[in-house]
Amino acid sequence: EDQVTQSPEALRLQEGESSSLNCSYTVSGLRGLFWYRQDPGKGPEFLFTLYSAGEEKEKERLKATLTKKESFLHITAPKPEDSATYLCAVQATSGSARQLTFGSGTQLTVLP
Amino acid sequence: GAVVSQHPSRVICKSGTSVKIECRSLDFQATTMFWYRQFPKQSLMLMATSNEGSKATYEQGVEKDKFLINHASLTLSTLTVTSAHPEDSSFYICSARRGETDTQYFGPGTRLTVL
């Protein structure tokens, strides 16, 4: 069974204080690892897809990296508007409809 | 990125009534749409997967007679909560993707409150 564990559950940062969010996964065969951002009362917003170990992707202050066991979402010099819940999900190479298996998320709060 | 809409964004209904939620992919054809449920401070729970023109596949524990899903076209899927009860109150989110190897794009969600 595919499993995704995110840590920490919650993270409070001062504006400008860089940090990383962790996503550990167990999957029979990884087709892709996805990062989403979710604001309160809204649907998840797509950020990145990573396909193979060693891959990195960047968008503004966010950089996602991938190894064979985990992914990190690095946040550089965060701003208050980066406050949100960040969700990690994996998609296996086989299985019913190739669904996404989500982690429980990391709630990030960036204080001004 | 692709755009997925949901309607309504909020609905309040009386116990025993049925509620229909629409999910539309606005700028692409979605071969597969997914319906999720999310409780406060929890992650997304997949309820069912629907492919255009075929019956939905429900996850274990989800009552298919209570949560009716119709995926009539490549841009529209509907979720009908039948005979709603207060315990059905939740945040319902749909997602859509073009093909099996494509990214899922999510709608903005529908807040259902059953009185």
Side-chain angles (χ1 to χ4, degrees), chain A residues 31 36 38 91 97-98 103, chain B residues 38 43 59 97 100-101 104:
Chain A
R31 190 199 83 73
Y36 289 87
Q38 186 176 25
Q91 185 183 40
R98 297 189 181 174
Chain B
Q38 188 175 35
S43 193
E59 294 301 299
R97 70 180 187 202
E100 276 195 347
T101 59
Q104 278 189 40

Side-chain angles (χ1 to χ4, degrees), chain B residues 43-102:
Chain B
S43 193
L44 286 76
M45 182 190 80
L46 180 65
M47 298 175 66
T49 302
S50 74
N51 291 293
E52 185 263 340
S54 60
K55 289 184 178 180
T57 302
Y58 290 81
E59 294 301 299
Q60 194 171 5
V62 178
E63 299 176 59
K64 60 182 179 182
D65 293 332
K66 181 166 187 62
F67 299 99
L68 301 178
I69 292 171
N70 185 290
H71 192 162
S73 76
L74 285 171
T75 59
L76 173 64
S77 177
T78 59
L79 168 68
T80 301
V81 183
T82 61
S83 186
H85 288 94
E87 57 266 30
D88 298 324
S89 299
S90 191
F91 191 52
Y92 292 87
I93 312 173
C94 73
S95 70
R97 70 180 187 202
R98 291 183 186 85
E100 276 195 347
T101 59
D102 290 311

Side-chain angles (χ1 to χ4, degrees), chain A residues 31 34 36 38 41-46 49 51 87 91 96-100 102-105 107, chain B residues 34 36 38 41 43-44 46 49 57 59 91 93 97 100-109 111:
Chain A
R31 190 199 83 73
F34 299 79
Y36 289 87
Q38 186 176 25
K42 297 189 178 180
E45 173 190 345
F46 171 70
T49 309
Y51 295 102
L87 298 169
Q91 185 183 40
S96 177
R98 297 189 181 174
Q99 302 156 352
L100 293 180
F102 278 90
S104 54
Q107 185 175 0
Chain B
F34 302 85
Y36 294 83
Q38 188 175 35
K41 299 193 181 296
S43 193
L44 286 76
L46 180 65
T49 302
T57 302
E59 294 301 299
F91 191 52
I93 312 173
R97 70 180 187 202
E100 276 195 347
T101 59
D102 290 311
T103 298
Q104 278 189 40
Y105 293 96
F106 286 82
R111 173 74 58 191

